[in-house]
């Protein structure tokens, strides 16, 4: 059984890929929708939240975990790894690896939450692989709100304008690969691609799901069940989840009290 968590909907981009790669795996997904966003909170708070999220997932007897959140991966992964012996995958290293392999100009862009940018996690990971690569990071704090509030449909004029404003920071930088360092962002990749034509976009959630599947996929043959838990209204999660799951969302989410963990 694999446990996956995020601050809300974004981790579903990783879950979707995980389901595609490991259709027989049993998965439990936790979206901390009552406390989203993580990306504007301090590292200490995110570590505390992540430990609770993981403690909840552990009640299912998971034997692998995906921290499908750029912010939690940047701040809490080491702490989680210290406390748990199961394999735990974050989104930073896999996305950095893909970017380092794909860039031809030696200039990699990263867009992410403010807390992820402050941590410097992506720069460190890319430069550990190749210290000649330049990494330019831009925080895009409004993106998570646009996605969580349903402003993600292709062509949405608000999202298009916000993307254009944020991503103009890359004008003239020569970036040919852009890491979507927050797992919410692939849902508005149409707006990001429009603002950065010709630049290859890397979904950090997808890259991480692949890393997990490559490493522990062989041990995950179950019945292919997926259970969903949230900390705010299940209905609102259920109505938005389809956009992340490649169409309609047929599952049910259950609300839990995370303060017990
Ligand atoms: N999806 C998360 C991330 O990848 C967090 C977004 C947020 O809660 O701010 O950073």
């Amino acid at each position: 059984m694999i446990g996956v968590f995020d601050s809300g909907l974004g981790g579903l981009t990783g879950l979707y890929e995980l389901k595609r790669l490991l259709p027989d795996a049993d998965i439990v997904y936790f979206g901390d929708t009552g406390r989203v966003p993580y990306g504007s909170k301090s590292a200490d708070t995110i570590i505390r939240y992540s430990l609770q999220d993981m403690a909840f997932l552990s009640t299912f007897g998971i034997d692998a975990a995906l921290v499908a959140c750029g912010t939690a991966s940047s701040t809490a992964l080491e702490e989680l790894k210290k406390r748990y012996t199961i394999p735990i995958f974050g989104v930073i290293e896999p996305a950095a690896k893909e970017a380092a392999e794909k860039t031809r100009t030696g200039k990699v862009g990263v867009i992410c939450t403010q807390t992820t940018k402050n941590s410097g996690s992506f720069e460190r990971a890319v430069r550990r692989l190749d210290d000649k690569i330049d990494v330019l990071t831009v925080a895009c704090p409004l993106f998570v709100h646009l996605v969580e509030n349903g402003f993600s449909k292709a062509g949405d004029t608000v999202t298009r304008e916000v993307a254009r404003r944020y991503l103009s920071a890359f004008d003239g930088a020569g970036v040919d690969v852009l890491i979507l360092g927050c797992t919410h962002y692939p849902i508005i990749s149409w707006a990001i691609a429009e603002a950065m034509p010709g630049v290859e976009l890397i979904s950090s959630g997808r890259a991480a799901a692949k890393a997990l599947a490559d490493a522990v996929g062989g041990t995950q043959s179950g019945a292919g069940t997926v259970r969903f838990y949230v900390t705010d209204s299940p209905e609102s999660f259920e109505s938005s989840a389809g956009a992340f799951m490649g169409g309609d969302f047929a599952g049910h989410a259950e609300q839990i009290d995370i303060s017990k963990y």
Side-chain angles (χ1 to χ4, degrees), residues 84-166:
Y84 292 88
T85 52
I86 61 169
I88 306 179
F89 292 78
V91 303
I92 311 299
E93 304 283 339
K97 184 163 178 286
E98 198 177 325
E101 281 165 7
K102 286 188 167 160
T103 182
R104 294 289 162 260
T105 61
K107 297 188 191 318
V108 167
V110 179
I111 53 173
C112 58
T113 67
Q114 190 60 51
T115 300
T116 297
K117 179 176 156 83
N118 294 349
S119 77
S121 58
F122 280 107
E123 285 96 305
R124 269 198 308 282
V126 171
R127 292 175 64 84
R128 249 198 315 271
L129 295 163
D130 183 344
D131 63 7
K132 286 189 275 310
I133 297 177
D134 289 329
V135 182
L136 175 60
T137 305
V138 175
C140 304
L142 286 179
F143 279 177
V144 167
H145 300 280
L146 291 169
V147 170
E148 288 280 331
N149 289 288
F151 286 68
S152 49
K153 227 161 144 225
D156 186 286
T157 50
V158 177
T159 298
R160 175 178 280 148
E161 179 57 17
V162 173
R164 202 187 57 74
R165 292 269 290 270
Y166 277 139

Side-chain angles (χ1 to χ4, degrees), residues 18 26 29 43 61 63 83 103 134 137 157 173 190 204 233 254 258:
L18 213 47
D26 291 317
Y29 182 91
D63 52 14
R83 301 201 188 200
T103 182
D134 289 329
T137 305
T157 50
W190 60 269
S204 54
S233 149
E254 199 179 304
I258 195 67

Side-chain angles (χ1 to χ4, degrees), residues 2-3 18 22 64-66 87-89 94 207-217 220:
I2 303 170
L18 213 47
L22 303 176
L66 177 61
I88 306 179
F89 292 78
K210 186 169 180 317
L212 186 151
D214 286 349
V216 301
Q220 299 293 328

Side-chain angles (χ1 to χ4, degrees), residues 6-7 10 36-40 68-71 113 116 144 181-184:
D6 177 46
S7 59
V36 69
Y38 279 15
S40 51
C69 172
T71 309
T113 67
T116 297
V144 167
C182 168
T183 52
H184 280 68

